[in-house]
Amino acid sequence: MSNAARILNPALRSKIMSADEAAALITPGANVGMSGFTGAGYPKAVPLALANRIDAAHARGEPFRIGVWTGASTAPELDGALAKVNGFAMRLPYQSDPNCRKQINSGEMEYTDIHLSHVAQYAWFGFLGHLDVAVVEVAAVLEDGRLLPANSIGNNKTWLDQADKVILEVNSWVNAGLDGMHDIYYGTRRPPDRRPVPINNPGDRIGDRYYTIDPSKIVAVVETDSRDRNSPFTPPDANSKLIAGHILDFLAHEVRRGRLPRNMLPLQSGVGNVANAVLGGLIEGPFEDLTAYTEVLQDGMLDLIKAGKMRFASATAVSLSPDAALAFNNDAQEMKKSVILRPQEISNHPEVIRRLGIIAMNGLIEADIYGNVNSTHIGGTAIMNGIGGSGDFARNAFLSIFMTPSTAKNGAISCIVPMVTHVDHTEHDVHVVVTEQGLADLRGLSPKQRAKVIIENCAHPDYKPALREYFTRALEESPGRHTPHLLDEAFRFLPEWKAQQASRAAE
Amino acid sequence: MSNAARILNPALRSKIMSADEAAALITPGANVGMSGFTGAGYPKAVPLALANRIDAAHARGEPFRIGVWTGASTAPELDGALAKVNGFAMRLPYQSDPNCRKQINSGEMEYTDIHLSHVAQYAWFGFLGHLDVAVVEVAAVLEDGRLLPANSIGNNKTWLDQADKVILEVNSWVNAGLDGMHDIYYGTRRPPDRRPVPINNPGDRIGDRYYTIDPSKIVAVVETDSRDRNSPFTPPDANSKLIAGHILDFLAHEVRRGRLPRNMLPLQSGVGNVANAVLGGLIEGPFEDLTAYTEVLQDGMLDLIKAGKMRFASATAVSLSPDAALAFNNDAQEMKKSVILRPQEISNHPEVIRRLGIIAMNGLIEADIYGNVNSTHIGGTAIMNGIGGSGDFARNAFLSIFMTPSTAKNGAISCIVPMVTHVDHTEHDVHVVVTEQGLADLRGLSPKQRAKVIIENCAHPDYKPALREYFTRALEESPGRHTPHLLDEAFRFLPEWKAQQASRAAE
């Protein structure tokens, strides 16, 4: 399909222009809502052109920075390019780009890390300021001006509704055969006019196939023809397979105890190799007729669908390896029988997550012995990526599982610590912590009971003695013994213990 | 009305017995689900008799402890009495009793602090173990065996459904004229069979007036005739009035900006004097036709109803001063036109809270400069009460407001700190922090932007220089500058700064 055939509306055809011309419509200080979620469906031409424009302005000594709101993470062509030219005044609600992260952690740009289900409503409520421009990738423009979405939905509906001006990127690489995969819910309202979101099963369709937009707002249409920048997944390592094994054993145990149906409940899975290993494990496992209600479709979920193990998957975006992305695009007609892409306010809606009873599986940076989880900060001060949808899912899930290797940096750091340096998921929201060492089932336990199972089941043997020592001493010396802590040592305990061990070994 | 007229079902009349006889039916190690929420509707006789029984067993050298699950806090006759005899093996999901707190913080009993909306479903999911006995206060037993609830619902429906054996306390002090005030929703299911909770307005009735129960499970009926133990509210102090003023100014500002309807959105308010001051302020304020969708009806809300300012209030319990409780009981027929009491899984349901768009106002113990809130722990180790419903409301609210005097202990402690010692509400869940000093609107702000407004608007002048110094030094020395911190000093900074000031002053 040529680009021409992708832009059927005559009025919008007349607005076709180059990315440079379109980028010239974005002014310094603007808030710009862009498409893009986990590296899928981000605009591929205008942000690069805009970065050049900003760079040139800076070279002339003119200030030029913008606020950028997206669905979630994008790609080097967007976050990377704009960060490199110091083009961000403010970024929200999620990023995972090395250059962007560097800018945030050097204090050169502001970053607001928001639950992904909250973003669209905050824009509607007027909590984020005014949205000046939207830059949204779509797969096609219909004759009547409606828009066929591409490989992610994210907050596109809201950006298209809210922005004063809209720049479309029409990407002819995306197979137009995915027409019918999307479900754009136009039933959201601002309180007090909200009504139930009528999803009772992951496969329920409640919206439209297309974005509807006032065509007079569209100021530019840019043609593109390039695929999403996908990263290959490395095959699961031994630790990922062990973690997957513990989770599958636990789920099988829950079925035997009658606490889970034989076909589970809808799965949510964070992105990454551990998550893919769990999904890979399910292919071998005894569970049939699975469903997913999640943010992102990964390779592992498509494999489950192809293997006939998963009946249906609902998400807001795909995030696939290059080969899987190619296959997904080629098989769009077939895939849409088992896949729905929704706006992220619906894929991550607390109401729907609680109703469906999701089994939520998310990664973490560190967990403490009392079950608090840090998902976002290195050393309590530097952002890694952001909370993403983990809070939407963990708080409202049927089962909230957090998984991590027990150590990082080749064993130099324990991911189980006395006290996390930043809290994203509180002790109230974490049912299960699992590492390659084992699984801690925290349901119904008091803090001290949690500490015992987390240390004994999850900590790496190299750090278990230190954590036991901390907990034992805290039990004796802590002013309060509900959550015993030695505040003066909480953050230093493990590094100092490790240094002692090393110096003893050197003697 | 005599007790006899309160127990119309003949089969259940035959089960009338003394509290001692009923307490004898509870065996060591049992899990017991009791009624009671914020000091309303707790059983008044059986727990005292049970405490005596436990005390006697201990005197004989026999072990006797039980697990107690409630709605929320109860009263000295329940939590106090059982804690005094060391009768708790495990307590959940909330308490506020001094003796109970002492036992928890000395490490002598286990306490599991759970979001109040999660408790009933955890019981249904089998996450909390087996429920052996329910001890529930009701206002009457109907001829067909259905039960008229009393002044709180809490988790009573779930305890009555789930327990093997049920002990009823029928309290004839409670005005049976409140028949019609309650709304017991029997539409909850376990996933995958859940459907939307059909509440679109605080006043929507979706359930039954009575508890339905299999009468064969009822092993004892105990007659009581005493009122809930209510604490008087002290009149709002100057700080509470200042906090209320800042909140009312802010709400008026939001109306002017078009972000709130003129009659607001449904209010949720934590318990306490600051909360009551805010409600008192609303009586004087410009807002009409208010509603509440909250956990607890306090004096302030009843005053709003009586003043014609509030049209409707939905809660799971009343928590009134002695005078207001008496008036409420006397006026039950009138009050039920404007008041609904629901199960706490519905009063606190994330789905309904998000749909209605609640204005949530909750207290805190300490907030940090980045907007993280500690609601539960003193010094990070000792429990105060528990998270209660604050997480249900804050995470899902339209506006999530946290309020506190800027200092505690007569100014000896700053409630605004560099880093909270325990996190119950993360930076992602706090829109507004307000003290008597002023209000910090954190919506859309990055951590560093939040720090500036929290320090400048909310901190007490005595601590502002120290907090500024911490933030400035953290900006320079922190390894990451997304959330700048000096981890080695974060918990000690204010006390050490204060000691320095004192020693300088003494020189």
Side-chain angles (χ1 to χ4, degrees):
Chain A
M1 199 187 234
S2 77
N3 266 19
R6 295 284 181 130
I7 306 167
L8 299 175
N9 179 278
L12 295 187
R13 285 183 84 144
S14 73
K15 291 179 182 165
I16 294 174
M17 63 182 75
S18 71
D20 286 338
E21 289 169 314
L25 301 171
I26 299 172
T27 52
N31 284 325
V32 184
M34 298 206 189
S35 60
F37 198 107
T38 51
Y42 55 91
K44 291 165 182 69
V46 174
L48 280 172
L50 180 62
N52 289 336
R53 181 162 136 75
I54 289 173
D55 205 26
H58 289 175
R60 293 191 303 272
E62 295 166 14
F64 196 153
R65 300 176 91 195
I66 58 170
V68 173
W69 313 351
T70 61
S73 58
T74 63
E77 294 93 319
L78 198 168
D79 276 320
L82 287 168
K84 268 189 211 159
V85 299
N86 197 12
F88 287 118
M90 160 61 83
R91 179 77 177 83
L92 65 81
Y94 185 89
Q95 63 75 41
S96 67
D97 181 85
N99 288 300
C100 193
R101 187 183 296 140
K102 209 164 127 189
Q103 281 252 314
I104 296 167
N105 290 328
S106 66
E108 287 173 83
M109 63 178 269
E110 304 302 325
Y111 174 53
T112 304
D113 181 18
I114 305 178
H115 296 296
L116 295 186
S117 86
H118 284 188
V119 183
Q121 68 171 9
Y122 284 1
W124 284 100
F125 296 167
F127 291 0
L128 304 176
H130 188 75
L131 187 64
D132 301 291
V133 188
V135 183
V136 172
E137 179 179 88
V138 296
V141 179
L142 307 192
E143 190 151 3
D144 61 9
R146 288 182 298 165
L147 310 172
L148 173 62
N151 281 321
S152 73
I153 307 289
N155 290 310
N156 294 352
K157 170 196 159 289
T158 293
W159 300 165
L160 294 169
D161 284 348
Q162 288 270 314
D164 295 334
K165 296 190 286 193
V166 171
I167 296 169
L168 295 179
E169 288 198 7
V170 182
N171 185 346
S172 59
W173 187 85
V174 178
N175 186 346
L178 51 59
D179 183 358
M181 184 180 286
H182 311 92
D183 189 65
I184 314 300
Y185 185 57
Y186 277 92
T188 56
R189 297 281 178 275
R190 297 199 305 167
D193 299 318
R194 283 181 169 169
R195 296 296 173 262
V197 180
I199 294 177
N200 292 323
N201 296 288
D204 287 350
R205 290 190 172 274
I206 62 171
D208 300 349
R209 291 159 68 152
Y210 311 110
Y211 303 122
T212 301
I213 181 171
D214 171 3
S216 72
K217 294 208 301 185
I218 299 176
V219 295
V221 176
V222 176
E223 296 172 296
T224 68
D225 185 20
S226 56
R227 55 184 297 180
D228 291 324
R229 169 95 61 125
N230 305 104
S231 318
F233 281 113
T234 51
D237 61 11
N239 277 348
S240 299
K241 285 184 183 168
L242 285 167
I243 292 171
H246 297 314
I247 293 177
L248 294 173
D249 286 350
F250 172 74
L251 295 176
H253 172 261
E254 292 298 296
V255 172
R256 284 195 302 275
R257 295 291 298 265
R259 288 195 287 252
L260 267 181
R262 291 186 64 82
N263 69 334
M264 303 278 102
L265 287 166
L267 304 173
Q268 177 262 336
S269 165
V271 183
N273 288 317
V274 175
N276 253 324
V278 175
L279 299 172
L282 284 167
I283 290 194
E284 316 294 323
F287 310 115
E288 308 282 342
D289 202 28
L290 298 169
T291 60
Y293 195 85
T294 188
E295 264 176 35
V296 177
L297 274 191
Q298 305 167 74
D299 288 27
M301 285 203 180
L302 291 189
D303 293 344
L304 282 168
I305 290 173
K306 286 178 185 162
K309 288 277 197 171
M310 180 170 278
R311 182 162 43 92
F312 216 96
S314 165
T316 191
V318 299
S319 182
L320 300 169
S321 68
D323 289 351
L326 200 60
F328 181 82
N329 200 45
N330 290 337
D331 302 344
Q333 293 275 7
E334 186 61 24
M335 293 315 303
K336 70 191 181 199
K337 296 178 189 164
S338 330
V339 171
I340 294 183
L341 298 181
R342 310 177 186 275
Q344 76 190 61
E345 64 188 312
I346 304 300
S347 67
N348 287 34
H349 204 298
E351 169 179 338
V352 181
I353 293 167
R354 176 141 163 168
R355 183 179 307 140
L356 297 185
I358 306 293
I359 299 172
M361 297 178 283
N362 290 289
L364 55 77
I365 290 173
E366 55 182 9
D368 70 30
I369 59 175
Y370 297 114
N372 300 285
V373 165
N374 171 9
S375 301
T376 58
H377 281 64
I378 304 294
T381 67
I383 195 77
M384 186 67 196
N385 300 325
I387 192 168
S390 58
D392 296 320
F393 285 95
R395 171 72 62 87
N396 300 293
F398 178 87
L399 272 176
S400 148
I401 300 171
F402 283 91
M403 52 202 185
T404 178
S406 66
T407 62
K409 304 278 175 200
N410 291 318
I413 294 172
S414 175
C415 299
I416 306 296
V417 298
M419 180 182 242
V420 289
T421 54
H422 185 88
V423 177
D424 295 288
H425 306 289
T426 73
E427 53 160 339
H428 316 283
D429 295 320
V430 179
H431 292 143
V432 170
V433 174
V434 55
T435 70
E436 83 286 352
Q437 299 296 319
L439 181 146
D441 178 0
L442 310 177
R443 291 173 296 175
L445 301 188
S446 71
K448 291 192 288 293
Q449 293 170 328
R450 283 179 225 143
K452 281 175 202 151
V453 293
I454 291 176
I455 294 172
E456 297 309 321
N457 295 7
C458 298
H460 191 277
D462 289 353
Y463 292 98
K464 222 177 255 191
L467 293 166
R468 284 185 191 134
E469 187 185 324
Y470 179 88
F471 181 58
T472 305
R473 276 192 41 225
L475 272 172
E476 288 162 10
E477 299 170 26
S478 176
R481 292 173 197 180
H482 175 58
T483 306
H485 265 306
L486 309 166
L487 284 192
D488 278 349
E489 305 179 27
F491 297 141
R492 292 184 313 205
F493 191 83
L494 280 185
E496 290 187 0
W497 180 87
K498 211 174 141 83
Q500 278 172 11
Q501 297 294 102
S503 94
R504 265 179 225 152
E507 273 164 19
Chain B
M1 199 189 236
S2 77
N3 265 19
R6 296 285 181 129
I7 306 168
L8 299 176
N9 178 277
L12 294 187
R13 285 183 87 142
S14 73
K15 293 181 181 163
I16 293 174
M17 62 182 77
S18 72
D20 286 337
E21 289 169 311
L25 302 171
I26 299 172
T27 52
N31 284 326
V32 184
M34 298 208 189
S35 61
F37 198 108
T38 52
Y42 56 91
K44 293 167 181 66
V46 174
L48 281 171
L50 180 62
N52 289 338
R53 179 162 138 74
I54 289 173
D55 206 24
H58 289 175
R60 293 192 301 272
E62 296 167 12
F64 196 152
R65 301 176 90 195
I66 58 170
V68 173
W69 313 351
T70 62
S73 57
T74 64
E77 295 93 321
L78 197 169
D79 276 320
L82 287 168
K84 267 188 211 156
V85 299
N86 196 14
F88 287 119
M90 159 60 85
R91 178 79 177 83
L92 63 83
Y94 185 90
Q95 63 75 41
S96 67
D97 181 85
N99 288 300
C100 194
R101 187 183 297 139
K102 210 164 125 190
Q103 280 253 312
I104 296 167
N105 289 328
S106 66
E108 287 172 83
M109 63 179 270
E110 304 301 325
Y111 173 53
T112 304
D113 180 18
I114 305 180
H115 297 296
L116 295 185
S117 85
H118 284 188
V119 183
Q121 68 172 9
Y122 283 1
W124 284 101
F125 296 167
F127 291 180
L128 303 176
H130 188 76
L131 188 64
D132 301 292
V133 188
V135 182
V136 173
E137 179 179 88
V138 296
V141 178
L142 306 194
E143 192 152 4
D144 62 9
R146 287 183 299 164
L147 309 172
L148 173 61
N151 282 321
S152 72
I153 308 288
N155 290 311
N156 293 352
K157 171 197 158 287
T158 293
W159 301 164
L160 294 170
D161 284 347
Q162 287 270 315
D164 295 334
K165 296 192 285 191
V166 171
I167 296 169
L168 295 179
E169 288 198 5
V170 182
N171 186 345
S172 59
W173 186 85
V174 179
N175 185 346
L178 51 61
D179 183 356
M181 184 181 286
H182 311 92
D183 189 66
I184 314 299
Y185 185 56
Y186 278 93
T188 56
R189 296 282 178 275
R190 298 200 304 166
D193 300 318
R194 283 182 168 168
R195 296 295 173 262
V197 179
I199 294 178
N200 292 322
N201 296 288
D204 287 349
R205 290 190 173 274
I206 61 171
D208 299 349
R209 291 157 71 151
Y210 311 111
Y211 304 122
T212 302
I213 180 172
D214 170 4
S216 72
K217 295 209 300 185
I218 300 177
V219 295
V221 177
V222 176
E223 296 172 297
T224 69
D225 185 19
S226 57
R227 55 184 297 182
D228 291 323
R229 170 92 64 119
N230 305 104
S231 319
F233 283 112
T234 51
D237 61 10
N239 277 349
S240 299
K241 284 183 183 165
L242 285 167
I243 292 171
H246 297 313
I247 292 177
L248 294 173
D249 286 349
F250 172 74
L251 295 177
H253 172 259
E254 291 297 297
V255 172
R256 284 195 301 276
R257 294 292 298 266
R259 288 193 287 251
L260 267 180
R262 292 186 64 82
N263 69 335
M264 303 278 104
L265 287 166
L267 304 173
Q268 176 262 336
S269 166
V271 183
N273 289 318
V274 175
N276 251 326
V278 174
L279 299 172
L282 285 167
I283 290 193
E284 315 295 322
F287 310 114
E288 307 283 342
D289 200 28
L290 297 169
T291 60
Y293 195 85
T294 189
E295 262 176 36
V296 178
L297 274 190
Q298 303 168 74
D299 288 27
M301 283 202 182
L302 291 189
D303 293 344
L304 281 168
I305 290 173
K306 286 175 184 163
K309 288 278 199 173
M310 181 170 278
R311 182 162 43 92
F312 216 96
S314 165
T316 191
V318 299
S319 182
L320 300 169
S321 68
D323 290 350
L326 202 59
F328 181 81
N329 200 44
N330 290 338
D331 301 346
Q333 295 274 9
E334 186 62 23
M335 293 314 304
K336 70 191 180 200
K337 295 179 190 163
S338 331
V339 171
I340 294 182
L341 299 181
R342 310 177 188 273
Q344 75 191 61
E345 63 188 313
I346 305 299
S347 68
N348 287 34
H349 204 298
E351 169 178 339
V352 181
I353 293 166
R354 176 141 163 168
R355 183 180 306 139
L356 297 184
I358 306 294
I359 299 173
M361 297 179 284
N362 289 288
L364 56 77
I365 290 172
E366 56 181 10
D368 70 29
I369 58 175
Y370 297 114
N372 300 285
V373 164
N374 171 8
S375 301
T376 58
H377 281 64
I378 304 294
T381 66
I383 195 78
M384 186 67 197
N385 300 326
I387 191 166
S390 57
D392 297 321
F393 285 95
R395 171 72 62 87
N396 299 293
F398 179 86
L399 272 176
S400 151
I401 299 172
F402 283 90
M403 51 204 187
T404 178
S406 67
T407 61
K409 305 276 175 202
N410 292 319
I413 293 173
S414 175
C415 299
I416 307 294
V417 296
M419 182 184 240
V420 289
T421 54
H422 185 89
V423 177
D424 295 288
H425 306 289
T426 73
E427 53 161 337
H428 315 284
D429 295 322
V430 179
H431 292 143
V432 169
V433 174
V434 55
T435 69
E436 81 288 352
Q437 300 296 320
L439 181 145
D441 178 0
L442 309 178
R443 293 173 295 174
L445 299 188
S446 72
K448 291 191 290 290
Q449 292 170 329
R450 284 178 224 143
K452 282 177 201 150
V453 293
I454 291 176
I455 294 172
E456 296 311 320
N457 296 8
C458 298
H460 192 278
D462 289 353
Y463 292 98
K464 222 177 253 191
L467 292 166
R468 284 185 191 135
E469 188 186 325
Y470 178 87
F471 181 58
T472 305
R473 276 192 40 225
L475 272 173
E476 288 161 10
E477 299 171 25
S478 175
R481 293 174 196 178
H482 175 58
T483 306
H485 265 307
L486 309 166
L487 284 192
D488 278 349
E489 305 179 28
F491 297 140
R492 293 182 315 203
F493 190 83
L494 280 185
E496 290 187 359
W497 179 87
K498 211 174 142 83
Q500 279 172 10
Q501 298 292 105
S503 94
R504 266 181 223 151
E507 273 164 20

